[in-house]
Amino acid sequence: RLVLTGATGSGPKPFAGDANNKLVVRLKFGATLWNWGETSLASLFEVQLPPGYTCNVLGSGDPSADLDVFKVDSDNDDYPDNRRGKLGIAHSDGSWARSKDRSCYYELFQYNRIYAGQVVYIKTDVVNPSTPLRKDDDDNTWKISLSSKGANVDKIVSMPLVHFDSNSQIELDDHLRTFFQGNAAVINELVLPLFQPGIGSSFTAQSSQYMRVFFKPGVHVGQNGYVVVDAPSAFNFGRDCVAKELPSEYYAYAGEEELRLRPLKGLDGALVDCEGHAFPAAPGAVTTFNRAKIRVAGLIDVIEGVHYGFMVLVSNPAGVTYNREMHSEWKMWLEDLNGYGLEGTRETVKFNSMQEDTQTEFYYKSWGLYRGDYDNMPGITINIDDLRPYDIAGEEDAWITIWPIVFPSATMTSLRITAPLGYVWNTKWSNFEVTANCVDTEPCEDFGGAGGGVIPRVEGGVSNALVWDQVYFNPNVKYGFRHKIRMPLFGPRTSANAFFFEFGYEKAEITERIRAVALEAAPVAAMINCKVGYNTNQVGITDNRMQFEFQTQTEVSYSAGIIIVGDMNCRGFTFTPEYVLLEGSDPLPGDLTLSAGTEADMTPIIQLKVQGTPISPGHYKIELKVANPGGRILTPGIWTFGSYNDVSMYPTKYYLDNEMQTPGFVINNRMSYAGFYALNDRQKTDTDREDRPGYMNNLIFEFMLRTRPEEVQDMLLKAPHGFIFEDDCLGSMTSPKLKTDFNTVFGENTGGIWPGDLEVWQSTFAPVACVGDGRDARITIPIGLELAVRYAFRIRVQNPLNSPEWNKWTLNYNKESSDPFPGFNIWTSVGNPTAVPVSYARNQGGSTDPIVNPVTLTFKPYKNVPAKPAEEDKGGVVRVEVPSNFRFVHDNNMCEVDLRVTGASTPILPNQLECEVDNSETKLNLYMIGNVAISGEESGNGQEYQLIVYVFNPNAPQEAADWHLNTYSKYTREPEFSLDESQIPGFPIHNDLWRYSVSNVLGEYNGNKRVSEVEIVLSFRDHVKDGDKITVYSPRGFNIVSNPEMDTCDNYRPVGASPDWFPFTGAPECVCEEIVNGPACHLQWKKIKEGKDPAFAQKQDIRFKIATTNPPKTPFIAFNFWRAEHHSSTEALLASQISKSWEINPQLANVDVAFANGYRSAGSQANLDFIFTPVNDACCLEIQAEYPTEFDFTQSTVFSNYDILLQEGSRMLINLRSPGLIADQEISIRVYNVRLGRGGGQTRWNLITYLDDLMTIPMDEALQFEGGFRLPGKIVLQDEPILTSAWKESALMYPVKSLFQPRVGEWASAEFRLSFSQAVMAQGKLIISCQGAGDQQGYSLRTDSFVVIGTGQIDAIPVLDESSGAIQATLKANRPATETALLPDTPYTVSFRVYPHNDGTNTWRFDTTDSAEGFTNTNDGETQGFAPVQNFLLTVTVVRSPPKAIIEVKLDVDQGTAVIRELLIIAPPGFQFDEGPDGCGDMCMPGQALGSTGRRTATLASPTGQPLTVLTGLRIRVQTPEQTPIGTGSEGIMWFVEGRSQGAGTTKGWGQGSGFAVTQMSGSAVYYAGVANLRATEIAFTFTLDVDAGSSISIVPPAGFLLTCSMEGSLKTISLPGGRPNCIDDPLQLQLLESLTRGTYAFGVTVDLPPQTPEVNTFNIIIQDQYNNVVDAAYAIQGEEVVDLGAEAPSLAWSRADPGQPSVITIGITFTRDTSNLKALLVTLPELFQHDVQIPIDVQNLNPRFPLAPGLDWADTEEPDRIRIFLDDSEDVTTIPADTYRFSFPVLMPPDVPRKNIWFISLCDDRTCKQPSDAQVLVSFPMAGFNLYDVAPEALRVSASGAVLGARGGGFDLVCTLLALLTLLKLSF
């Protein structure tokens, strides 16, 4: 192993390329080496270093005894733990002379031995590799080998090289890893870091300060790496050192071109940890922790323009320890997550990075200590008269004034003032003024010395340092000066924003280093942190949000403002001129106005104008709603932010802060799809899905592209606000955070269950980088993703604390942006949960008599809290935790709560809940112990809940603190059962009153009863002073106001005071506010005005009475308190207190008489419910029906627990027996079989309760009660109802469907003829509904064709009741309600749309109503409905459907429950059923056309007439048409079936099924040059077969085309099988000698072209088998347009055709006349061919008459499969003379020729043509290619001797080394 030495452990010179690096090796021999006396090579060992090292050992290699490893005695036995073993003591023992390259060899001389078990240390002298070498690099291994003859004198035996101990082995032992390692790191040099002391007295001896650290890494560190800061030995970071971020302005964004400083952070924004170490580590070496080792959770990486900065707390040593070497001992190192060195500083870290390397004096290096600071002197101030940057300050330097500088005694010293980086001191002497801030009372002296002062200098190259070599200060004189300084564009990013003053800076003695201080500089007046964000950048999105972030430095006052403008690439955005402040923004003024529009050039402009309240300097983040442009934006626009005086003058600019420009974003096309992959529960578990707030989550996304990526590019995943991606979101190979491998996306080793709808993301194009930036993750993906397939990936992200308001995600890639897709809800309370107490007062009673405070927690859970499972005692849990000093009220840990849905009148029953308080009394667990669950938002039925808990407030006032409400799915509350986690803002606790009570003196407790005497007593802990306010709030519903207009209190009377307790202030006022649950009232002395102090003494009672009226019932728990408050004149709450109010005794309440089972018509029987809440307990009830007459209870019955005492006519007496009527408990008594009264109308009842069954003592009553039901009249059906299908109403559109009967599951028209026994008045309603039989659903209704017709049409406005599905039609809505709409006993026809859900029995209900409750008429729902036929489900499938072929069609019919004997099949237009001898299939017989539709039919029927029970897998034969038929109306290629019982008119059901397209043969194409009258030119055809069949090919060309295959050379078989086929010219048919199989084919023939394009310009290709059956075909292949062009006779020749060999291709074309409309020739090679053009002259023009473009670039060979030859375009017209032209170029022959072996030469009218099919191509001549080994025609053959053909490749070396292992020696080191 190696000994750790040097600052990094890798020697004193660890940097790449360093020579003389001393690395100490420790070896422990496992075998004995010896030399028995031979003089030649007999025994040696080899230490082999990693590649790149050069190894040497000086002398014997003895290490220094001063190494730390030799000083340790950890067991305190007075012997060092590691003894310094040496190889030898004399030169004659052995030698390292044989060392060379990376191996050090030690040879033992005669008679020397190294014994097994011996430990030696060897100091090597190495030259480090020239490039960095990481410790975890596989090549970084140290090895050793032993070689010896031993007792064998014949030959030496060597063992194989053995590795040193690994770092992982060593690091398991704390002692070993302190001093040893397995290898050494070769590190990179860290360039230009910067250490600067903190603001204030940071230079002073014995002070502590946060030192600023700035650096730019040169290597990738990654996440969880280390930053190490080394200080001189006397400085102390502490064992638990503190490192934190710099102030936020250091990390400000200043533009794309500006340097950016990043913090060292984790996801939580903080550094992970900081450990202090003593360096060196040996005992006694240092006495302080002078090394700070900071572990960083965030990413440290090499990023262009990005630096890092932080600050670390350091304690300065005592002044006496100062020495000048301290300036050379500040170092910095970067280490990876294992603590392995990566980079560091060779020299000390500078104090001012502007210092030149040539300035080697100690005071130009790092910073050092000074004797004192300015704590005992007046503070220096720095004032800069214009903080704007030089560029906008009229290119003028600013004046900086520094004053006062005071010394208590006469002092002569030097002075250096270092400005922040970016500031430049003006070097002209005239820009220095020797006095500043002179006043008569304080006369000035010239700065630095009398007689004109001392002019400073700016040292060369260090423009931010102002130096006085000698200045003199008289005692107690305030010196100052002014100097010009140039302001930078922005504040510093890579240095402290401070001015450093150093008096005696060049002195080496602490006594002469007088004082130093760092003073913070004012911010530069420049906008910073200007950014433009967005939620989606998809083209045309109208609901986008854009974020605008900016930071101002200068106050923006009245008429000034901030303007944001975009450039030309920002056009097209449409903003809504309203903004919202985003989280983290400073507040903007409430009266600020925002306008958004466009400039004259349509560029956007946004203006924020100050109306009154100024905009303070701050960091602002606003969001605007915006519609994206309707077209793509390929280049991000630039947005300019500025703050200006008088924005009305814009674009004339009066700058406040310098402008800042920031890029916008591109606008992309729409991505096919992106979204979350829907996970099942197992997948969520396997992927660690975690939706709780603030947790790390694993999310799986899927996406599909429209286009194939052609370059490496970034995918942007944009989360909603609040989500945070890790800096390095990719992870490592061993621990990936971004997963695309199919075996890990859905959990480890889940490849076996990979979803079939996803494409596997291949490892060859797996993401190579992922960088998180807040809510954005940028994923770098190599080329390889395909279009039109779905990919999935998993990524980690931190959840926000709450669900985002705009909860949508987007994904951008390959210039495509997804639709914003919905996110998921965070498992926390939805919205803003609240905690509202009744009392804010401290616990007045203390521990002996505490006051119970009800606290209402309002929350809306996201997750369901489950009810109790059957097998468990408890279910889910709601857990509430109170802030400190609160205690829950309980009785032996059991508690009471009130839990209810917000707004519900009753809580969840106590038997459903169990409340428990833990022993700390601060945590309450509410268990679900019944069948009631809490519904969360996720379920879709989420409810808001109110939970009232009872607490004792703290005994002393305290600030508000959060309450916590968590839910669990199981009562055991383990973490895995955690659901929602919610923090609820708490409330402060104030002082209580000294005394407070409220009493109902006369005990008046009945509901709605006046309370004449309410006595209130209160006294205060504090004196009541003038200006104070005293308020008493009454419980909800208690009205205490007598005259609302005068705000007088109801019968206010002071008790014991005359005229009042506050005689000069007067009587209190009383005010009520009408809100839900009754008035909220208060009594108040608004402002005490007694003219004395105190106005009323503390702890003295105020007693008074008022009157009120009880509400109908006791207010809700949280509202039934009287609360008093004492406020100071400044509205501060001094004290408060509550007093619980009395319970109300309500009168008989909530009375109702209602139909038990819906309204019934007059004269029918019904069940009635009598509902009420008794005030007092009672046993018996008397019921009497007063109106209408003829009610009859004679046959009525009641519940078996009740006794009927009397029933005669309209009167009935009931004994309810035990428990009888219970006070305040609502009861419902059902009376069965009541004969309803005659005629109808509003009913009137008398209800009386009695104490006992003697009925002598009445208790409560409700007399003449008319709040019950109204009795409706009768509706009668006059004729049978009619049902008409919607298809029949649109027969032209649906010619087939209109022939069938109405069907279940489809809309139809229903018609009823009705009469009404009671007149229906205008504005009344006709209500229609349908009821199915049993559990079956009734019909759904629609209003779009609703009509009521009597003698004429009745005016009606129908509306569909969404909850009940009923039609509610308002009749004559615009006529007076006294007018009759429907006459009694008169027939009316009502029709409307209906939707039958089934074919079962259905009954119809008709009711009429007016403005009163109940019906005026009803039919009692007894009208019978319709019998629609069933809706058959038809599925039509085929294996293949080529045109004009006999195919087999599979029909699957689901006839439901229908029993059918015949099945009529109706095919689409153009299809013919097979009329062969076997019919069209089993039991299938072709039939006639279906009426006027022309569709062919066939019938399936059993020969025996038996029912057709199995209608799946029916196979029939049809002949397809040439093309997919368009069809008639909207029925297209739909197939139909009709099931019949037997014969027409017995339909049981029918159905339709989507047909299939006639599939043209794939890959079918025709290629030819469309030149008018061209003769005997080549035409090529291609097609692809998907079956093994076909022995003939027929071609049907357009009219005027003459195809020839029989002439010699006219047929090119290309890829047809079996040699030259038999051929017929007209019509063209090829009889193949060998059948076709699956695959792609091409062939060519000659053609004579017509003079012009045919009217029908299409070709047909037909493949038939030996029986002339169509195998496949392609009809209507579009031909080329025929043009007039003088070109013909293309030619193709080649030099050789050997596979894989070079060849020269010659392409020719003949122009028959001069041609002037061409710009380029395009030569396109077949697939697999590639040209081999290396230099321009490889392409040869063989006819110099061809007008080539000038120069060498006339041939474009960029693409390997094509060559473009450009014509000379220097003139407007270039003419190609009539002639034959040829061009040659080299190609590389493929190993095999392609199936589609066709070459093209295309004539282009534009140079941009790339394919033969491009619009710029006039004509393309196809040429059949050649096969391997073919020889070109003699006339066109090309010699290869002139071609530029060269073999390209390389060789490889094979080195084999074999070592024979004769013995195994154990080696440990």
Side-chain angles (χ1 to χ4, degrees), residues 673 858 984 1685 1746:
Y673 172 77
T858 302
I984 305 178
L1685 192 66
F1746 192 82

Side-chain angles (χ1 to χ4, degrees), residues 1078-1091:
C1081 305
H1082 65 266
L1083 173 152
Q1084 186 177 79
W1085 282 278
K1086 283 186 176 179
K1087 190 174 184 180
I1088 304 299
K1089 299 178 183 177
E1090 294 301 300

Side-chain angles (χ1 to χ4, degrees), residues 1140-1204:
K1140 194 172 188 299
S1141 187
W1142 50 88
E1143 298 294 319
I1144 305 296
N1145 293 328
Q1147 296 297 294
L1148 192 64
N1150 304 321
V1151 180
D1152 193 14
V1153 181
F1155 284 109
N1157 304 110
Y1159 280 88
R1160 302 287 292 175
S1161 58
S1164 62
Q1165 282 194 335
N1167 303 331
L1168 302 182
D1169 286 337
F1170 295 85
I1171 305 167
F1172 56 90
T1173 301
V1175 175
N1176 300 293
D1177 293 345
C1179 81
C1180 304
L1181 171 68
E1182 176 181 354
I1183 302 172
Q1184 182 180 3
E1186 282 207 344
Y1187 185 84
T1189 60
E1190 299 186 15
F1191 270 89
D1192 190 353
F1193 290 99
T1194 304
Q1195 303 300 320
S1196 301
T1197 60
V1198 293
F1199 181 52
S1200 60
N1201 269 6
Y1202 302 158
D1203 292 333
I1204 298 178

Side-chain angles (χ1 to χ4, degrees), residues 249-420:
E249 57 267 21
Y250 282 90
Y251 306 112
Y253 171 69
E256 289 296 292
E257 304 302 322
E258 299 297 323
L259 292 179
R260 181 78 187 271
L261 191 71
R262 286 189 177 178
L264 301 182
K265 63 183 182 66
L267 284 177
D268 58 356
L271 300 172
V272 174
D273 60 2
C274 182
E275 293 181 356
H277 296 268
F279 180 77
V286 291
T287 58
T288 60
F289 298 97
N290 63 323
R291 166 172 283 188
K293 188 167 186 177
I294 304 157
R295 188 180 182 99
V296 182
L299 178 69
I300 303 178
D301 204 354
V302 183
I303 304 173
E304 182 67 27
V306 171
H307 295 238
Y308 293 87
F310 65 97
M311 51 189 181
V312 59
L313 183 64
V314 61
S315 296
N316 298 343
V320 295
T321 63
Y322 171 80
N323 61 73
R324 62 195 299 169
E325 283 72 28
M326 285 182 175
H327 297 264
S328 301
E329 295 174 350
W330 293 91
K331 298 290 182 73
M332 183 174 185
W333 317 96
L334 300 181
E335 299 174 348
D336 67 10
L337 58 85
N338 297 308
Y340 299 160
L342 299 173
E343 191 170 36
T345 52
R346 190 186 298 273
E347 305 295 337
T348 190
V349 178
K350 290 182 179 179
F351 163 67
N352 183 0
S353 59
M354 295 291 292
Q355 299 291 166
E356 300 288 349
D357 291 337
T358 56
Q359 296 172 312
T360 58
E361 291 85 351
F362 72 92
Y363 46 84
Y364 291 135
K365 296 181 180 180
S366 299
W367 66 278
L369 297 180
Y370 286 82
R371 177 164 50 91
D373 55 32
Y374 282 82
D375 287 345
N376 60 344
M377 300 171 60
I380 299 176
T381 61
I382 300 173
N383 180 267
I384 300 176
D385 69 343
D386 190 347
L387 292 168
R388 295 179 302 168
Y390 175 80
D391 290 358
I392 65 167
E395 297 191 349
E396 288 288 336
D397 290 340
W399 281 103
I400 180 172
T401 301
I402 297 175
W403 181 90
I405 297 175
V406 181
F407 281 83
S409 59
T411 303
M412 180 174 290
T413 185
S414 58
L415 172 60
R416 178 170 66 187
I417 303 177
T418 304

Side-chain angles (χ1 to χ4, degrees), residues 1054-1062 1103:
V1055 177
S1058 180
D1060 208 333
W1061 296 104
F1062 299 100
R1103 188 183 300 267

Side-chain angles (χ1 to χ4, degrees), residues 99-149:
S99 299
K100 66 176 181 177
D101 298 331
R102 61 173 172 144
S103 292
C104 281
Y105 295 94
Y106 184 77
E107 179 184 0
L108 273 72
F109 292 161
Q110 287 178 302
Y111 304 112
N112 277 282
R113 297 184 181 185
I114 301 175
Y115 292 100
Q118 184 174 344
V119 176
V120 300
Y121 289 83
I122 303 160
K123 181 172 70 174
T124 64
D125 187 88
V126 305
V127 178
N128 292 342
S130 60
T131 58
L133 183 65
R134 296 173 64 111
K135 284 175 70 74
D136 55 5
D137 193 310
D138 291 341
D139 289 336
N140 194 359
T141 56
W142 290 59
K143 304 174 184 178
I144 185 171
S145 176
L146 307 182
S147 300
S148 179
K149 286 184 178 181

Side-chain angles (χ1 to χ4, degrees), residues 997-1016 1034-1036 1038 1040 1106-1111 1113-1116 1119-1122 1139-1145:
S997 66
V998 180
S999 58
N1000 183 334
V1001 177
L1002 301 179
E1004 297 162 319
Y1005 304 130
N1006 283 340
N1008 294 319
K1009 181 176 179 60
R1010 181 168 176 79
V1011 183
S1012 55
E1013 290 195 18
V1014 178
E1015 185 174 74
I1016 300 175
S1034 65
R1036 184 73 54 84
F1038 284 82
I1040 58 175
I1106 58 172
T1108 185
T1109 299
N1110 285 334
K1113 59 181 179 180
T1114 303
F1116 182 59
F1119 302 147
N1120 196 28
F1121 288 84
W1122 295 78
S1139 176
K1140 194 172 188 299
S1141 187
W1142 50 88
E1143 298 294 319
I1144 305 296
N1145 293 328

Side-chain angles (χ1 to χ4, degrees), residues 1556-1632:
F1556 49 86
V1558 176
T1559 305
Q1560 305 296 324
M1561 184 165 51
S1562 66
S1564 298
V1566 58
Y1567 307 100
Y1568 59 92
V1571 176
N1573 294 313
L1574 189 62
R1575 294 292 180 264
T1577 191
E1578 188 168 339
I1579 183 169
F1581 298 91
T1582 64
F1583 60 90
T1584 300
L1585 272 183
D1586 58 1
V1587 294
D1588 294 335
S1591 58
S1592 70
I1593 304 171
S1594 298
I1595 304 295
V1596 181
F1601 281 73
L1602 180 60
L1603 304 181
T1604 302
C1605 61
S1606 59
M1607 294 179 61
E1608 182 178 357
S1610 61
L1611 175 60
K1612 309 290 187 180
T1613 58
I1614 303 181
S1615 53
L1616 292 180
R1620 178 182 176 84
N1622 296 322
C1623 161
I1624 301 173
D1625 286 337
D1626 190 14
L1628 186 89
Q1629 186 177 60
L1630 303 180
Q1631 295 291 339
L1632 304 176

